[in-house]
Amino acid sequence: MSESVMDKTGDTQAGAQLRRELARGDRALGSIPPVLGHLLAGSGHSLISDSIVAHLRGMLSDCAGQLLDAQGRASSLQPDPVESDEACERLAIGLAANSAVLSHCFAAAIEGALSEELERRGVSDQVLSPLMQELIASDDESVAELAMAAMTAQARWIQAHRRMGLPLAELPAEIFHEALKAWKAISRNADAAAMAQAEALLRAEYDESAGRLGLLTRLVAKLKSGAHAGLLVEHAGLALFASALASLSKQPRELVVLSCHPSQLTRLALGLRAAGAKPEEIAQQLLLIQPDFPFPEGFDQIGQAEAADLLGCSSFGPEQ
């Protein structure tokens, strides 16, 4: 029987197998927030390293501290150190209870860990990749300036990651909003005027377009058709690779980062195919990102349109 035979869903045999693998990946992704909440409340878990859990706790605590610092700047009262520590812990728990905030922090922890691993294995530098160097040296001044700003922001983010921190300014707008919502819910008994002033301060200081993710997104948009160069992780570096793949495959960037996890590599392969990468290029990228992952059998039969269709049928499908 021909390997390209269609099943009742219209998939090729290879496509049907990939659809099943993607469904398994969907179930794994759907379990992330409750599992992480359990891990943060208790002991570790064999499928998620202690380092990831530690980074999650650190990032949530850091975000809580920044929110409380703004609250303190807006209040005339001198905070008690013990009470401040207790308030920070309560707020960190409140942030962890918000699935959007928790999932973003998890993706950030995964990106940081994989970025370190790729640098350790000599695949790509965490900050100054060959593509970033080329863009900084571009004759187009606007591209060069944007690339320099993105590189600087990436360096700051890496330093924050090493300290297990996460600046509020680096959150996407929707996650920033969710963090403020969780903070206001936890602090509903606080002075209303001080809370309003603190929120105004935070919003005045926030500029999504100037953050790392905003700069990377703008840089990929500047590349236009050249964005395909970002699909080579060894050339682009993980940060630019994730942003380029998110743009070209029309997936949320967090999902692209999570697709680099060993349990989600079918999604990564399909994302790369949907973005226009050739099967041999995809095989090379999977080998670099997760050396032990076997290339899906029959994947070379999957065309760009079928890959996009398979992703679109996923519970975590491409953005509209």
Side-chain angles (χ1 to χ4, degrees):
M1 182 179 293
S2 170
E3 286 297 318
S4 62
V5 68
M6 299 293 225
D7 71 2
K8 63 183 180 181
T9 67
D11 293 335
T12 61
Q13 286 187 344
Q17 176 60 31
L18 289 167
R19 188 185 293 276
R20 290 191 288 271
E21 292 292 335
L22 202 55
R24 278 193 283 270
D26 283 351
R27 291 193 291 273
L29 286 175
S31 71
I32 285 175
V35 168
L36 290 178
H38 172 73
L39 294 180
L40 290 171
S43 57
H45 190 282
S46 60
L47 295 179
I48 299 177
S49 71
D50 290 342
S51 174
I52 294 295
V53 175
H55 272 85
L56 279 172
R57 288 197 176 106
M59 286 187 285
L60 291 164
S61 180
D62 186 40
C63 287
Q66 293 169 71
L67 290 166
L68 292 174
D69 177 66
Q71 193 172 331
R73 284 185 283 151
S75 174
S76 59
L77 299 176
Q78 187 69 25
D80 178 88
V82 175
E83 291 182 356
S84 294
D85 288 344
E86 292 175 351
C88 187
E89 184 174 354
R90 284 196 306 274
L91 181 50
I93 292 171
L95 291 172
N98 184 297
S99 61
V101 174
L102 184 59
S103 295
H104 177 78
C105 288
F106 179 63
I110 292 292
E111 180 176 355
L114 180 57
S115 181
E116 289 175 351
E117 171 66 12
L118 291 175
E119 184 172 78
R120 185 188 67 78
R121 288 197 273 114
V123 174
S124 62
D125 189 88
Q126 294 187 77
V127 177
L128 190 57
S129 66
L131 179 55
M132 192 67 82
Q133 292 182 57
E134 292 170 12
L135 295 173
I136 289 172
S138 171
D139 292 335
D140 186 328
E141 188 174 335
S142 65
V143 170
E145 289 179 357
L146 192 54
M148 179 62 76
M151 184 204 70
T152 302
Q154 174 69 10
R156 287 197 304 266
W157 187 84
I158 290 296
Q159 288 300 318
H161 174 77
R162 289 171 178 164
R163 298 192 302 270
M164 300 188 184
L166 180 61
L168 290 174
E170 296 298 342
L171 298 178
E174 64 274 16
I175 304 302
F176 178 74
H177 173 75
E178 289 293 328
L180 293 188
K181 186 168 72 173
W183 165 58
K184 288 187 286 186
I186 291 292
S187 307
R188 57 182 174 272
N189 295 325
D191 179 77
M195 286 294 295
Q197 185 179 348
E199 182 178 358
L201 284 171
L202 289 166
R203 291 192 181 279
E205 294 168 354
Y206 179 77
D207 179 1
E208 183 180 30
S209 67
R212 180 184 76 113
L213 298 181
L215 290 166
L216 289 170
T217 298
R218 289 164 56 198
L219 186 57
V220 169
K222 275 277 190 184
L223 297 179
K224 299 180 181 176
S225 61
H228 283 270
L231 298 181
L232 304 175
V233 70
E234 72 278 21
H235 185 59
L238 181 61
L240 199 50
F241 169 85
S243 292
L245 181 53
S247 174
L248 293 170
S249 64
K250 297 181 172 59
Q251 296 182 90
R253 189 180 185 280
E254 283 181 23
L255 187 56
V256 167
V257 170
L258 293 177
S259 73
C260 295
H261 188 275
S263 69
Q264 300 295 322
L265 290 178
T266 295
R267 189 183 311 275
L268 177 61
L270 287 170
L272 285 164
R273 191 71 182 106
K278 297 176 181 178
E280 58 270 23
E281 294 171 333
I282 296 169
Q284 178 64 17
Q285 294 310 297
L286 295 181
L287 183 64
L288 289 171
I289 291 170
Q290 295 292 346
D292 298 328
F293 181 74
F295 192 63
E297 186 176 351
F299 189 84
D300 56 353
Q301 301 169 25
I302 303 297
Q304 185 173 356
E306 186 177 4
D309 179 64
L310 286 166
L311 286 175
C313 293
S314 164
S315 301
F316 299 86
E319 298 172 316
Q320 300 303 314

